[in-house]
Amino acid sequence: MTGIEASPSLREADSAGTAGTADDAALGDADVRREAAAAALTDASSPEEARLAFRKGLVRPTCGIAKGYAQANLMILPKELAFDFLLFAQRNPKPCPLLEVMEPGVTEPVTCPGADIRTDVPLYRVWEHGELVAETPDITGYWRDDLVTFVIGCSFTFEFPLMEAGVPVRHITAGRNVPMYDTSVACRPAGAFHSTMVVSMRGIPATQVSDAVRISGYYPSVHGAPVCVGDPAAIGVTDLAHPDYGDAPILEPGDVPVFWACGVTPQAAVMASKPPFAITHAPGHMLITSKRDLDYMV
C-alpha cells in the first residue's frame, strides 16, 4: 500500500460529489444522521453504548463521553516486537502506562468485556515501516493472529474529576479534541523502539493549577501529574497555537499551559523506529473501557 487510504466515510463523500442531486441529498441525510449519532453520545452514555456506536461506524473524538469510565490508547504489534515494546512501556511509564497486554490474536479486552478491539475504537491508524498508510474505523481487514494489543492509560480519564472539582477543561466545553505536541524530552529506548515524548496540553487558570496537579496525580495509571507547567519551550514546544495532533488550544486570559505525558508517544515511537507493521488509535479517538476511573485512583 502507498499513500494514506481514506476512511469509508471520506470515500463515500468523494464519490457522491459526482452523482447528482439525488445522491447529494442522500449524502446530506447521511451527514445529518452521523451528526445526530455523534451528539447522542454524552457524558451520560455508557461505555457499551459508545463502543456500539463506533462499531456501527461513528467517528468522533472520545473526550467528554462516558463519565466515570477509563479511556485508553492502543498499540498493536506483531508478536516478535511485543517484548521490545513491553520493555519500552515499562521504562517509560509516564507516557505509556499499561492497563492491559492481550495475548496474540485475542480481540476481546479484559478491560471491556464483550468489546472487539478491531471495531470498537472510532478511528485507527495503520502503519508500515513508520509511514501512515491508512486511517480507518475498522481494522478487521488488517487483523492477524500474531498481533498483540497493548491497552495504555489515557488522560481523558481524569478530565471529569477535574471538572467535578471546578477546574475547566476547555476543549470539552468547546467540543474539540485535546491539543497534543511532540517534545524534545527523550524516552528511554528499549530494543527496537526509541522516541521522544508526546504531551497533551490543557489551559488551566493560574489559581487552579495546583488543583489540576493534585487531582491528576491521583491517577498514575492514566499519566498522572503533569510533566511541565508554564513554559512550553522547556520541553521543546515552540508553537503552542499549532499542535502536532488534535485541535488548536483554547487559552483564556489568566490560563497557564499545563502539559501531561500522552499515549500518542507510541505513535511517535512507530514513526521514529519504523517497525514493519503497527496499528494504533488515531489521536483523541480512544478505547472507552468498562473500568471505572476510580479503579485507577490511588
Side-chain angles (χ1 to χ4, degrees):
M1 287 179 287
T2 59
I4 301 177
E5 297 179 2
S7 67
S9 60
L10 293 178
R11 289 196 293 269
E12 290 166 7
D14 289 340
S15 63
T18 61
T21 304
D23 286 349
D24 288 343
L27 180 61
D29 290 343
D31 287 341
V32 169
R33 289 193 296 271
R34 279 194 291 269
E35 290 176 4
L41 290 181
T42 68
D43 60 350
S45 299
S46 71
E48 293 76 17
E49 290 169 336
R51 294 194 299 260
L52 180 60
F54 302 144
R55 188 179 300 184
K56 290 180 176 179
L58 176 65
V59 176
R60 58 153 290 180
T62 55
C63 49
I65 299 175
K67 178 179 179 179
Y69 290 91
Q71 298 197 25
N73 307 271
L74 291 185
M75 178 68 146
I76 303 173
L77 291 163
K79 181 180 178 180
E80 63 265 22
L81 290 171
F83 177 78
D84 282 0
F85 184 75
L86 177 64
L87 189 59
F88 180 83
Q90 289 180 326
R91 288 180 177 175
N92 299 279
K94 200 71 171 171
C96 303
L98 291 175
L99 305 184
E100 179 179 356
V101 181
M102 297 167 62
E103 295 282 351
V106 171
T107 58
E108 181 180 351
V110 172
T111 48
C112 27
D116 189 327
I117 206 68
R118 301 168 297 182
T119 59
D120 291 5
V121 169
L123 193 63
Y124 302 83
R125 285 182 159 187
V126 182
W127 308 82
E128 293 180 355
H129 302 285
E131 298 293 327
L132 179 62
V133 297
E135 282 195 332
T136 175
D138 186 332
I139 57 168
T140 302
Y142 295 94
W143 191 255
R144 298 165 14 186
D145 288 341
D146 68 329
L147 293 178
V148 175
T149 300
F150 295 85
V151 180
I152 300 166
C154 173
S155 60
F156 286 177
T157 305
F158 59 64
E159 289 182 332
F160 284 118
L162 289 178
M163 291 189 292
E164 288 172 350
V167 178
V169 180
R170 303 201 189 282
H171 64 272
I172 290 183
T173 304
R176 296 187 186 182
N177 199 353
V178 69
M180 293 160 275
Y181 304 84
D182 292 321
T183 74
S184 58
V185 179
C187 294
R188 289 183 62 197
F193 292 97
H194 64 278
S195 179
T196 52
M197 187 185 296
V198 177
V199 295
S200 61
M201 193 282 291
R202 294 159 184 83
I204 305 294
T207 58
Q208 295 178 287
V209 167
S210 60
D211 290 332
V213 172
R214 174 178 54 82
I215 292 166
S216 60
Y218 294 148
Y219 298 89
S221 295
V222 292
H223 304 303
V227 296
C228 179
V229 175
D231 183 13
I235 54 173
V237 175
T238 58
D239 189 353
L240 202 61
H242 297 93
D244 298 290
Y245 319 89
D247 291 331
I250 301 171
L251 290 168
E252 299 290 346
D255 279 359
V256 174
V258 180
F259 300 88
W260 280 265
C262 178
V264 176
T265 299
Q267 297 184 40
V270 167
M271 289 184 275
S273 308
K274 304 185 185 306
F277 183 76
I279 300 173
T280 67
H281 69 291
H285 298 70
M286 318 308 295
L287 174 68
I288 301 181
T289 77
S290 298
K291 300 286 285 185
R292 303 293 305 198
D293 52 14
L294 293 177
D295 292 338
Y296 299 112
M297 185 178 181
V298 296

